[in-house]
Amino acid sequence: MNPETMIVHYPGDSISSGPIYSRGYICCNAVVLLGENIAGLTHYDLRIEPGIYLNEIVNRMERREQFPNCAVVVGGDETHFKRNLRILEKRGIPVVNGYLDCWNEVPLVTKEIFESLRIKRNKNRFTLKEVLVVPETKEVLVHRSNLDYMKLN
């Protein structure tokens, strides 16, 4: 771990110009907001209303004159994931990619369909996810406990 990496503990979020990292996502959702020189990362489940925390982090970025250019959404819970997408749409923030594993269901998809989805679903239940955001390069990396890293932006 880079000593400059900001760690986001559950429940929480952070904004930084350096790398941001969080782990232990199961049913939680991550929203990555990418600005010109900074990024934001959230780690919440549905116990905290997405309309509250997501709007607040967007507002904090705007106060730093860094309106998010785009977002990447990573989720375990489909309801939470869809709420985040609606909030981002209302705020005018395009979602450029995402990953959803539906931890509470086993999607019946073939390997070909799985590989073709932009918002991917994993047929393995209870997959732990880690998210690393590198604002400088606009990279969003997700590691799933039983699979390799994947780059979402």
Side-chain angles (χ1 to χ4, degrees):
M1 293 282 301
N2 183 322
E4 296 176 12
T5 301
M6 175 80 60
I7 306 296
V8 176
H9 298 283
Y10 165 83
D13 58 59
S14 188
I15 297 170
S16 177
S17 58
I20 312 171
Y21 169 81
S22 192
R23 67 182 178 148
Y25 295 90
I26 299 175
C27 64
C28 298
N29 273 229
V31 175
V32 177
L33 299 166
L34 297 169
E36 288 298 319
N37 302 312
I38 64 173
L41 174 63
T42 69
H43 188 158
Y44 292 102
D45 61 21
L46 274 177
R47 286 182 252 183
I48 300 174
E49 174 61 41
I52 295 171
Y53 76 78
L54 197 46
N55 281 311
E56 176 54 34
I57 194 168
V58 171
N59 292 341
R60 287 190 352 245
M61 287 182 75
E62 288 176 340
R63 285 193 292 272
R64 293 172 91 167
E65 298 182 4
Q66 289 284 320
F67 185 79
N69 297 325
C70 62
V72 174
V73 183
V74 176
D77 179 76
E78 188 171 18
T79 301
H80 190 172
F81 188 87
K82 288 179 179 178
R83 287 183 189 174
N84 284 334
L85 293 177
R86 284 193 300 270
I87 293 162
L88 292 166
E89 182 180 13
K90 286 180 185 175
R91 294 295 300 247
I93 302 168
V95 175
V96 295
N97 210 341
Y99 171 80
L100 175 63
D101 64 12
C102 292
W103 71 279
N104 58 345
E105 64 180 56
V106 181
L108 301 173
V109 296
T110 65
K111 181 179 179 184
E112 293 78 24
I113 292 172
F114 175 81
E115 291 173 352
S116 71
L117 293 174
R118 186 164 176 78
I119 294 176
K120 295 181 166 87
R121 291 175 179 247
N122 177 9
K123 61 184 175 182
N124 300 310
R125 295 181 70 182
F126 303 107
T127 303
L128 285 171
K129 295 169 287 296
E130 302 172 72
V131 178
L132 173 65
V133 183
V134 184
E136 184 179 2
T137 59
K138 309 280 191 250
E139 289 180 286
V140 178
L141 301 171
V142 176
H143 176 256
R144 298 165 293 172
S145 61
N146 57 346
L147 301 166
D148 291 331
Y149 279 95
M150 62 182 171
K151 185 176 174 183
L152 290 181
N153 197 34

